[in-house]
Amino acid sequence: MDHEKALAAYDRQMRRDAHSDSATSRIERIGGVVRQVGSAYDWNGVLWADIDAATADAVIARQVRDYTAAGREFEWKLHSHDRPADLADRLVAAGFVADPTETVMVAETGALPAGPELPEGISLLPVTDAEGVRLMSRAHIAAFGEGDAALGERIGKRVLAQLAEAPDDIVAVVAMAGDLPVCGARMELCPGTEFAGLWGGGTAPQWRGRGIYRALVAYRARIAAERGYRYLQVDASDDSRPILDRLGFATLCTTTPYVYQP
């Protein structure tokens, strides 16, 4: 994969020319900033900012004012090649808090292994309705614990809305061990781009290390390839990055969510 070409395509298609990812959100382009504004269950935040050292602080302050007026927590999605070089320090000074850094990884769908190869005792259940979303939420709690239940509920509501509003733009699946959901994952397709984004994949502790995450990547990769998407993109945690490395994903950059709570 041509790293520079893939990074340029990612910045252009997924950030500068981004489209809203739900019927209840919209993309706004104001003063060099590309941002999404939506409901409390949507992702709200800054995707791209064409700023420099002379303009950064004023632009940051504008985002804080606008999102605070709308009553929305929001995220500034900072990438390692964004400018100015001290943008992270400026965000912290303005009251943002950094979440853990993730690695943006990309693979060409045609170069990934065929699959999925499921471990014994696991079946895959496509998520198409409210019952499937409920199982996804249970899988999220099984993977991350009751302390993360609120996030699981928020993701579930988002997936349910996407299934109702644009079912062709989302693929969701649950790995089942009998009647027990042990892993949930989704893929968000971006029409008009070359990219499909992979999200989720956290697995219940007792089922880790058996290839479930890898199988769910292969399942979604096959569908993305069938639908004509060139790239799969993942914001990878430290846990998933080694698996994705072995599957043939390449690192484009890193990304750190800087979160502002009004």
Side-chain angles (χ1 to χ4, degrees):
M1 186 179 68
D2 185 321
H3 179 276
E4 290 187 6
K5 182 177 180 180
L7 180 58
Y10 170 79
D11 277 344
R12 182 178 69 256
Q13 297 177 30
M14 303 301 290
R15 303 181 67 199
R16 294 199 301 267
D17 297 339
H19 300 279
S20 65
D21 58 14
S22 79
T24 53
S25 64
R26 65 186 183 276
I27 293 293
E28 297 179 342
R29 292 175 170 82
I30 301 173
V33 169
V34 180
R35 66 188 188 186
Q36 178 164 294
V37 180
S39 73
Y41 296 111
D42 290 312
W43 183 85
N44 287 266
V46 174
L47 291 158
W48 174 265
D50 183 11
I51 55 178
D52 57 27
T55 60
D57 290 339
V59 169
I60 292 169
R62 169 75 184 271
Q63 310 316 306
V64 170
R65 288 196 304 271
D66 290 354
Y67 280 104
T68 298
R72 294 286 178 265
E73 174 183 308
F74 76 104
E75 176 183 311
W76 190 300
K77 197 167 175 59
L78 179 66
H79 291 70
S80 51
H81 55 290
D82 288 346
R83 296 291 181 266
D86 64 348
L87 183 52
D89 293 336
R90 293 171 185 264
L91 290 169
V92 171
F96 289 75
V97 176
D99 277 352
T101 296
E102 296 175 317
T103 303
V104 180
M105 304 187 76
V106 168
E108 292 186 296
T109 55
L112 292 173
E117 296 181 8
L118 295 171
E120 185 177 354
I122 294 294
S123 61
L124 297 186
L125 177 67
V127 173
T128 59
D129 56 19
E131 175 59 19
V133 171
R134 186 181 69 82
L135 290 172
M136 279 191 74
S137 296
R138 286 178 55 195
H140 183 91
I141 292 172
F144 300 108
E146 290 288 347
D148 217 39
L151 176 59
E153 180 182 1
R154 193 165 69 211
I155 293 171
K157 289 185 177 182
R158 174 187 169 96
V159 171
L160 195 58
Q162 288 173 305
L163 289 170
E165 297 158 3
D168 292 337
D169 296 345
I170 184 170
V171 173
V173 63
V174 178
M176 303 291 295
D179 295 331
L180 183 68
V182 297
C183 182
R186 68 190 192 277
M187 175 170 65
E188 296 184 358
L189 306 167
C190 303
T193 79
E194 300 174 285
F195 289 86
L198 301 187
W199 304 93
T203 305
Q206 65 271 32
W207 283 94
R208 291 172 187 166
R210 305 193 196 187
I212 295 175
Y213 181 88
R214 184 170 61 249
L216 291 183
V217 170
Y219 172 86
R220 290 172 288 171
R222 184 189 65 202
I223 294 173
E226 290 171 352
R227 298 192 187 182
Y229 286 87
R230 179 175 181 178
Y231 298 111
L232 284 181
Q233 173 257 320
V234 187
D235 290 353
S237 68
D238 289 342
D239 290 333
S240 57
R241 188 177 64 213
I243 303 172
L244 294 166
D245 267 328
R246 291 193 294 271
L247 287 174
F249 282 74
T251 296
L252 284 189
C253 59
T254 61
T255 180
T256 306
Y258 282 81
V259 179
Y260 188 93
Q261 295 182 326

